[in-house]
Amino acid sequence: MLRKNKERRISLLRYWTTRYAITLAIGLLVLAMLSVVWIRHTTLENRLDVSEFLAAELASRIAGNQQEAAGGQETYLDDDMIEARDELMKMESPPSIFITDANGVILSASEQELYNRDSFPAVILKKDNDVQTFPSINNDNALVYLIKKPITVDDVTFGWVVMLQPEDEFADLNDEYRLLALLILGSGILGWAAIYILSRRLARPISAAAAAAKEIRNGNYGVSLMPSKAKEQEVYDLVTSFNDMAVRLEQLESIRAELLAGVTHELKTPVTSISGLLQAVKDDVVTGEDAKEFITISLNETERMQTMINDLLEFNTFAANALPVSTAPHELNALTRDIVHEWNLARNADSIPVHFHPGGHDLIVLTDPVRFRQIMMNLLNNAAHAIEGTGQMTVTVIDDGDGASIHVSDTGIGIPESEQTLIFERFYRGENKKYKVRGLGLGLPFSELLARAMDGDLELKETSPSGTTFTLKVKKVNVP
């Protein structure tokens, strides 16, 4: 654990930019090496081709002059030949040019640093290859390229044009290498800048979310992230979801505070009442029938407090999956009719009738009748509490095809819009109900857990100032 805490953490921006820079550098280095090999090869080939062309051109001019000359071999070095040689000399690294007779004897040479003999061996001139290499006379490790072209008149070879140039001058690629280095460096900087900008754009909302999460961890639930203008769907979802979570946590924290105050009040009130009543009996403040009435009231308060505690314990037990639910096939219309009849008998004095509308045919569903009764009784209790004065409640069974639904409707005051998303939260009690009905706010959350445990669901179907409808969905058994 200690080692884990000491592990170095780096920012997202630095993490991605450094790793991308390393990957980019390695990739560009490999690309540069391959490019150097390719440029060296292609440039050398191109320069050799150009040199061959110039040697052939020079040989052609000399052959043309030979045809017009009346004399012997001294005509090889006329003005045209000097002009052609000067064109070659204008090259950045001009080759050494030799003009020989048919036997290889050197008649003219631009310079003799690369070759200082009087003639070229016949075996070199007679080879089929116009481009050859041989070691330099000054440096055995360096190569010299030899390019030869015959001086031919009427298919008769009168001599040779020979060009010599060192390999390092042929392969002098400083300009090409500088251009390649510039391109590689520019690509690297551009690529790094792009990933830096993109990583920074991605890191900002994540950093903001992390900072806001620390505030929430410290108990400040009022934080929120600025609305994101990012085009990335994931970043937008992160910001909006975090804001929704923060609002939700703030609501739950408010509910938790109200729960603590509410539970304290709900339990303290009967305890105070019981204590006062029993103290009055003990001190003989009341006697006879009054004392018995005080004791009866104390017992009722005790029973009510015990009911709240049992609800709390039962909810926690079920939420921990420790309370079993046993489902079996039952006829939904008959099961619901019995519950409505029981309710009407028990609550006859309240003058709030419940009208039952069964389904058009028998509906066999999988349910636990005990848990089903708990859910229905809670929904009917809530419906009765929502009605102020006179009104009515309706229970309707509907066949949904794959399942069945029980709609519990009332003509009460409805649920405010601000409370509709919170009614299934544990311990939440609405403003209209908080001061009129005693309880812990576990009825609907517990009923929802029970419904889902039976492969069904409980949801708020609709609500308005003229009434509310809850829908209990159950799983239907298809009977052939």
Side-chain angles (χ1 to χ4, degrees), residues 270-298:
V271 170
T272 302
S273 177
I274 293 170
S275 176
L277 292 172
L278 293 180
Q279 188 67 38
V281 174
K282 178 183 177 181
D283 296 341
D284 295 328
V285 176
V286 291
T287 58
E289 293 298 326
D290 291 337
K292 290 182 180 181
E293 184 179 359
F294 274 36
I295 292 175
T296 301
I297 295 173
S298 298

Side-chain angles (χ1 to χ4, degrees), residues 130-146:
D130 289 336
V131 179
Q132 304 174 41
T133 59
F134 63 88
S136 172
I137 60 175
N138 297 323
N139 186 353
D140 294 337
N141 294 326
L143 291 179
V144 175
Y145 280 93
L146 182 148

Side-chain angles (χ1 to χ4, degrees), residues 261-408:
V263 170
T264 302
H265 173 75
E266 293 295 339
L267 295 180
K268 182 180 179 181
T269 300
V271 170
T272 302
S273 177
I274 293 170
S275 176
L277 292 172
L278 293 180
Q279 188 67 38
V281 174
K282 178 183 177 181
D283 296 341
D284 295 328
V285 176
V286 291
T287 58
E289 293 298 326
D290 291 337
K292 290 182 180 181
E293 184 179 359
F294 274 36
I295 292 175
T296 301
I297 295 173
S298 298
L299 290 175
N300 291 336
E301 289 293 321
T302 302
E303 183 179 357
R304 188 177 303 170
M305 185 171 62
Q306 184 177 4
T307 300
M308 288 190 292
I309 295 174
N310 287 337
D311 288 344
L312 183 60
L313 293 175
E314 188 176 26
F315 179 84
N316 289 335
T317 302
F318 190 83
N321 296 322
L323 191 64
V325 173
S326 178
T327 59
H330 292 274
E331 208 285 310
L332 183 60
N333 289 318
L335 186 63
T336 308
R337 183 183 291 108
D338 291 342
I339 295 172
V340 172
H341 180 67
E342 178 184 347
W343 169 271
N344 284 327
L345 290 177
R347 301 292 296 271
N348 188 39
D350 293 342
S351 67
I352 304 178
V354 178
H355 302 284
F356 175 62
H357 301 286
H361 54 85
D362 291 344
L363 294 173
I364 307 301
V365 297
L366 281 177
T367 187
D368 184 330
V370 176
R371 303 303 177 191
F372 182 83
R373 180 183 180 279
Q374 284 183 274
I375 298 173
M376 291 299 299
M377 284 296 182
N378 181 65
L379 293 178
L380 292 173
N381 276 328
N382 288 344
H385 295 152
I387 296 176
E388 296 181 348
T390 60
Q392 64 180 13
M393 298 183 294
T394 304
V395 175
T396 306
V397 177
I398 296 177
D399 185 356
D400 293 332
D402 295 335
S405 299
I406 303 94
H407 299 310
V408 179

Side-chain angles (χ1 to χ4, degrees), residues 27-102:
L28 291 178
L29 181 60
V30 173
L31 180 61
M33 294 173 63
L34 295 176
S35 299
V36 165
V37 174
W38 181 78
I39 290 174
R40 182 182 179 86
H41 174 73
T42 55
T43 303
L44 185 60
E45 291 292 329
N46 291 337
R47 290 183 178 180
L48 286 173
D49 291 341
V50 171
S51 296
E52 284 190 73
F53 172 77
L54 293 176
E57 177 70 15
L58 181 57
S60 176
R61 291 187 181 187
I62 295 174
N65 290 336
Q66 177 64 23
Q67 287 179 329
E68 297 175 358
Q73 297 182 358
E74 67 274 13
T75 59
Y76 284 138
L77 294 177
D78 62 3
D79 293 339
D80 290 338
M81 290 187 293
I82 295 175
E83 182 182 351
R85 186 177 68 180
D86 289 342
E87 290 180 4
L88 291 174
M89 296 298 290
K90 292 178 182 177
M91 297 172 59
E92 183 177 353
S93 298
S96 298
I97 305 172
F98 299 84
I99 300 175
T100 72
D101 60 11

Side-chain angles (χ1 to χ4, degrees), residues 122-160:
V123 65
I124 293 178
L125 299 176
K126 292 181 179 180
K127 279 187 177 181
D128 293 335
N129 295 334
D130 289 336
V131 179
Q132 304 174 41
T133 59
F134 63 88
S136 172
I137 60 175
N138 297 323
N139 186 353
D140 294 337
N141 294 326
L143 291 179
V144 175
Y145 280 93
L146 182 148
I147 302 168
K148 62 180 181 67
K149 289 295 180 180
I151 302 173
T152 304
V153 178
D154 296 333
D155 296 331
V156 176
T157 301
F158 285 90
W160 298 86

